[in-house]
Amino acid sequence: MRIYLDHNATTPMRPEVLEAMLPYLQGRFGNANSIHGWGREAKQALEQAREVVASALGAKDKDSIVFVSSGTEADNLALKGAAWAARDRGRHLVTSAVEHHAVINTCKSLEEQGFDVTPLPVDEEGLIDSETLRRSLRTDTTVISLMHANNETGVVSPIAEAAELARERGIVFHTDAVQTFGRVPIDVESLGVDLLSISGHKIYGPKGIGALYVRPGTRMVPHLHGGQQERGRRPGTENVAAAVGLARAAELCLASMPAETERLRTLRDRLEGAILSRIEGTRRNGHREQRLPNTSNISFRGADEESLILALDLEGIAVAAGAACTSGSLEPSHVLQAMGWKPESHGGALRFSLGSGTTQGDIERLIDLLPAVVERIRAAAAGHPEPALALA
Ligand code: PLP
């Protein structure tokens, strides 16, 4: 039995999503920009998908949705688009130390092009202090980008307050909502954001599609050049099938959200409670309440994360160390480091992210297995032979 607990990295596509997409990969393959029947059919599907995504975000105008290739592209378009559009007013951006690399590295690239970026610190629980944000603002600040929920810890930031401050100062406010869209209710009006990024493959939709919400009136410059697709904001022949898939996935997530939130929170709390009480030297990383219902990040003193992940993988259980892309390179997590975590004293950290396929049986199996796995790795790290081998 294989157990997948890495839904913050990616999710399996729902059969209903594939079913909705298939016609647009086969018979209805037209280019949405063509004026003949095939084109009109594709265009109609694209616009319907836009309408669904807009409504899932509480956006009044469907044209505020720009389809792009990924959450990463949405973040790039938001930051570069807004920063360059406002360059005559100022060149200062504010962000946080715990953003996804799609934001951090976009900011680095803007710095190389003459922009100035202030990354705000977070506290031990992963939250930004609103006074620190207020003090970081300058007369030349044009863009603030703060993520809605962190992909490693699941910590959800109270961004509405920050967005209001931005609005008072005439600053464009962007949020990376890749981890929250489809998991917690999002309403761009009550959040008060100008730009918001989402991605298809985190919500049981296809990979290779994302969207950027752009509040009407927000000044943006495109960062790709070509045709007039997406009202000139993102040229390139539209991926109609993927847009249809994203919209269907969003509908399904919204419909199941209340029940699924409760179910996942109960399973997550059972797992977390059992680990913290049964395995010594463990601690939760991130705010206990202000968190996504599916995510738990726990560090294990005296055990490194690579060994933990590989040992669980041998048992058929998939978990992650921090973000998927950083775990590949096994760099210490910039998110946990910003929260004061130190690998030497706190040990390796694992991210457990549950999803629609996670069952009570999965969680119980992990709870049964984990103490012995951790014990073996700690013993090996301390230079002792594995207990199981020592007996043999
Ligand atoms: N932002 C956050 C918070 C994420 O978790 C991810 C994916 O891990 C991204 C952006 C990038 O999204 P995509 O994989 O669609 O490029």
Side-chain angles (χ1 to χ4, degrees):
M1 183 175 75
R2 295 173 78 211
I3 300 173
Y4 183 79
L5 294 175
D6 199 10
H7 292 83
N8 287 13
T10 196
T11 56
M13 205 158 81
R14 287 192 210 269
E16 300 94 318
V17 172
L18 179 62
E19 199 185 318
M21 290 172 67
L22 276 175
Y24 298 95
L25 292 165
Q26 296 172 325
R28 301 184 204 161
F29 59 85
N31 183 326
N33 304 290
S34 305
I35 57 171
H36 50 58
W38 276 268
R40 289 198 306 275
E41 202 169 46
K43 177 85 176 162
Q44 197 186 359
L46 184 70
E47 294 313 310
Q48 213 170 328
R50 199 184 306 282
E51 185 100 47
V52 169
V53 174
S55 132
L57 289 171
K60 292 189 191 119
D61 180 358
K62 81 172 170 58
D63 290 329
S64 57
I65 302 301
V66 181
F67 286 118
V68 293
S69 69
S70 57
T72 299
E73 191 188 331
D75 287 344
N76 270 261
L77 177 58
L79 290 170
K80 293 178 191 167
W84 280 107
R87 67 189 175 284
D88 296 338
R89 283 199 299 114
R91 289 182 168 235
H92 179 232
L93 291 87
V94 173
T95 181
S96 85
V98 296
E99 298 295 314
H100 188 271
H101 282 110
V103 167
I104 292 185
N105 288 338
T106 301
C107 286
K108 275 194 189 143
S109 134
L110 284 167
E111 277 180 316
E112 283 160 13
Q113 293 168 327
F115 289 86
D116 196 11
V117 180
T118 302
L120 299 176
V122 293
D123 65 16
E124 276 209 342
E125 306 209 290
L127 292 167
I128 294 164
D129 170 44
S130 52
E131 206 29 57
T132 311
L133 168 63
R134 192 180 291 274
R135 278 201 308 271
S136 73
L137 302 181
R138 313 190 317 211
T139 51
D140 62 340
T141 309
T142 53
V143 182
I144 300 175
S145 178
L146 298 177
M147 74 198 312
H148 196 194
N150 185 272
N151 43 304
E152 296 190 34
T153 59
V155 171
V156 179
S157 295
I159 55 166
E161 203 186 315
E164 195 180 332
L165 180 61
R167 181 169 315 165
E168 284 166 12
R169 309 273 181 108
I171 297 169
V172 171
F173 188 89
H174 166 249
T175 193
D176 175 337
V178 165
Q179 292 291 345
T180 43
F181 181 57
R183 294 210 178 116
V184 300
I186 292 189
D187 180 82
V188 289
E189 292 308 326
S190 53
L191 286 177
V193 297
D194 299 307
L195 301 166
L196 180 143
S197 308
I198 63 169
S199 173
H201 73 104
K202 309 284 185 184
I203 61 162
Y204 311 93
K207 294 177 177 58
I209 184 85
L212 180 67
Y213 160 78
V214 182
R215 179 176 294 281
T218 308
R219 287 179 59 220
M220 295 279 295
V221 293
H223 71 121
L224 290 180
H225 302 281
Q228 279 306 303
Q229 291 94 346
E230 299 298 296
R231 312 184 116 222
R233 295 173 292 189
R234 203 284 190 170
T237 300
E238 300 90 340
N239 189 345
V240 176
V244 167
L246 170 64
R248 187 75 188 109
E251 279 177 336
L252 294 167
C253 278
L254 257 56
S256 62
M257 195 185 288
E260 195 58 358
T261 300
E262 244 348 273
R263 193 184 76 86
L264 291 178
R265 184 180 288 126
T266 305
L267 290 178
R268 190 270 315 268
D269 290 349
R270 159 86 183 127
L271 174 65
E272 191 172 276
I275 294 176
L276 295 177
S277 65
R278 291 185 196 184
I279 307 178
E280 244 181 81
T282 49
R283 73 162 207 173
R284 180 190 47 252
N285 298 307
H287 196 280
R288 188 191 164 124
E289 304 302 330
Q290 272 174 248
R291 232 181 347 156
L292 292 173
N294 77 319
T295 308
S296 176
N297 188 310
I298 297 181
S299 37
F300 296 82
R301 202 173 54 225
D304 73 286
E305 51 207 20
E306 187 181 9
S307 304
L308 288 166
I309 291 169
L310 294 177
L312 288 172
D313 189 40
L314 281 176
E315 304 285 351
I317 302 176
V319 301
C325 36
T326 46
S327 64
S329 61
L330 288 172
E331 289 282 317
S333 153
H334 67 284
V335 174
L336 298 183
Q337 283 183 320
M339 291 161 63
W341 165 90
K342 294 196 175 53
E344 322 80 58
S345 43
H346 298 123
L350 293 185
R351 176 186 71 187
F352 304 92
S353 51
L354 287 54
S356 67
T358 310
T359 64
Q360 178 89 38
D362 294 345
I363 297 302
E364 299 307 325
R365 182 165 146 74
L366 178 56
I367 291 172
D368 285 346
L369 270 168
L370 197 56
V373 167
V374 174
E375 196 185 324
R376 259 202 332 264
I377 289 164
R378 282 176 173 164
H384 303 305
E386 291 186 47
L389 294 177
L391 289 175

